[in-house]
Amino acid sequence: MKIQILGPDCAKCTRLAENAAAAARELGIEYDLEYVRDWSQVMPFGAMITPGLVINNEVRSVGRVPSCQELKNMLKFVNKTAET
């Protein structure tokens, strides 16, 4: 699973990355985590507010840091739909 964090190197972006990694580990999901800091690469996602969360090339959250439980629900959904 590909997880991307959109935004500058700020506290919220770091917290989102940590929460997403923790949620994936707790679910036993293999993942690649990538920071996307270059605005020319962020803009195509349409994320005008950071931090942004992209899972498998689909924007899942913008402008906030979802809780670990919310992230686990997102990851479970994406993982389930990827398997079918």
Side-chain angles (χ1 to χ4, degrees):
M1 178 173 296
K2 183 176 181 180
I3 300 172
Q4 295 169 290
I5 307 300
L6 309 178
D9 201 12
C10 67
K12 287 184 179 182
C13 295
T14 300
R15 191 169 59 227
L16 177 56
E18 291 169 353
N19 286 357
R25 280 193 309 271
E26 287 179 28
L27 293 171
I29 296 172
E30 291 185 33
Y31 66 96
D32 291 314
L33 181 68
E34 174 189 3
Y35 279 92
V36 180
R37 295 180 178 102
D38 182 341
W39 282 105
S40 67
Q41 294 176 343
V42 171
M43 295 306 288
F45 287 106
M48 303 305 285
I49 303 171
T50 62
L53 173 69
V54 178
I55 303 172
N56 290 346
N57 297 315
E58 188 172 328
V59 177
R60 295 291 176 166
S61 175
V62 174
R64 65 187 197 90
V65 178
S67 70
C68 202
Q69 185 58 51
E70 286 178 278
L71 290 163
K72 286 184 354 184
N73 290 341
M74 286 180 207
L75 294 173
K76 280 191 237 180
F77 176 78
V78 171
N79 197 43
K80 183 178 179 181
T81 56
E83 291 175 353
T84 57

